Amino acid sequence: TAILLVVFYIIPNKDYFRNRVLTFILLIMSIIVSTTSIWYNFIDNYASIFNFLGYDLYVARLDSFIEDERNLSFGPRRIILFIIISLIIWYSNKLKEYYKNTNFLLFFNLSIFGEIYFNIFANANHIFRRPATYFTIFTIITTAYLLHYLKPSSIKAVSVKYIIIVSLFICYLFISIYAEYPKGDTDYTNFKFFWDYI
């Protein structure tokens, strides 16, 4: 799948998500689409493309991948991520202006694209969600830009917005630790020593 990313080198770096309201609507619509699984109807149309790219083995097992859904509930972690993405979208115009001499616009475009893609395939098999990881990683970078923008101008100053966003991330971390701990060997959140696997 990494080879497919070459196409992103030739896509012009423009402001594809200029309208905040439209971007927010796209984000909401992607969540709605994930609950309907309407995208299954279009998978057969792309089978020839998958074959061309060397995914013959996956195409042969496509039906089993489609049937192997997971129900990714819209729980606390997804709600926190949704709030953070919404805040990034809300401040996007100011961030684009403030960081116009940086790569923020590129990171923002990739982040929003990744979040929309992930939401659409949230309840699908992991092979459909896997490409999203190439883009959702940029959400961390755009959040860092947002935190830098909102940080207090002096040590004595207090920024409520800054504290809220940092608190959301801390909550996300603790919720992830709590939710993943009972999974044992499939817990990829909590740190494990090598002797845990002996």
Side-chain angles (χ1 to χ4, degrees):
T1 54
I3 296 170
L4 300 177
L5 298 177
V6 172
V7 72
F8 285 92
Y9 283 101
I10 58 174
I11 295 175
N13 187 25
K14 294 182 179 178
D15 195 355
Y16 296 105
F17 301 101
R18 182 181 294 115
N19 188 317
R20 292 183 305 176
V21 175
L22 182 59
T23 305
F24 190 73
I25 290 170
L26 286 172
L27 190 66
I28 297 289
M29 291 300 295
S30 67
I31 294 169
I32 294 169
V33 168
S34 74
T35 61
T36 62
S37 301
I38 196 171
W39 58 270
Y40 290 157
N41 301 328
F42 303 99
I43 286 294
D44 290 337
N45 299 334
Y46 298 103
S48 58
I49 297 172
F50 291 140
N51 284 326
F52 174 75
L53 295 171
Y55 285 89
D56 312 63
L57 182 63
Y58 290 111
V59 172
R61 299 171 53 200
L62 204 54
D63 290 336
S64 63
F65 288 136
I66 290 173
E67 289 172 9
D68 182 27
E69 292 184 32
R70 76 168 191 170
N71 187 11
L72 188 66
S73 60
F74 209 82
R77 287 187 282 181
R78 283 195 71 191
I79 290 169
I80 289 171
L81 288 177
F82 176 77
I83 292 169
I84 290 168
I85 291 297
S86 299
L87 289 170
I88 291 169
I89 292 169
W90 179 258
Y91 282 99
S92 62
N93 290 343
K94 292 179 180 177
L95 292 169
K96 288 170 193 173
E97 180 60 31
Y98 191 80
Y99 297 108
K100 61 184 175 183
N101 295 323
T102 68
N103 288 323
F104 174 77
L105 180 60
L106 173 65
F107 299 149
F108 177 75
N109 285 335
L110 294 173
S111 172
I112 298 300
F113 175 78
E115 294 297 335
I116 291 170
Y117 179 91
F118 177 82
N119 284 331
I120 290 171
F121 295 99
N123 293 320
N125 185 283
H126 74 279
I127 67 155
F128 297 108
R129 292 191 314 272
R130 187 183 301 160
T133 57
Y134 292 122
F135 304 101
T136 53
I137 192 73
F138 291 102
T139 302
I140 298 170
I141 300 172
T142 52
T143 306
Y145 274 102
L146 177 62
L147 286 171
H148 182 266
Y149 178 78
L150 294 175
K151 78 176 175 117
S153 54
S154 69
I155 297 174
K156 294 181 180 179
V158 176
S159 172
V160 176
K161 296 171 187 174
Y162 183 88
I163 292 170
I164 288 171
I165 295 171
V166 171
S167 299
L168 284 171
F169 272 108
I170 292 170
C171 288
Y172 183 88
L173 176 63
F174 282 117
I175 291 168
S176 293
I177 290 170
Y178 179 77
E180 298 293 325
Y181 182 75
K183 293 184 178 178
D185 290 340
T186 59
D187 170 12
Y188 302 113
T189 299
N190 296 291
F191 180 81
K192 296 178 185 65
F193 290 95
F194 71 92
W195 57 72
D196 291 330
Y197 297 97
I198 295 175

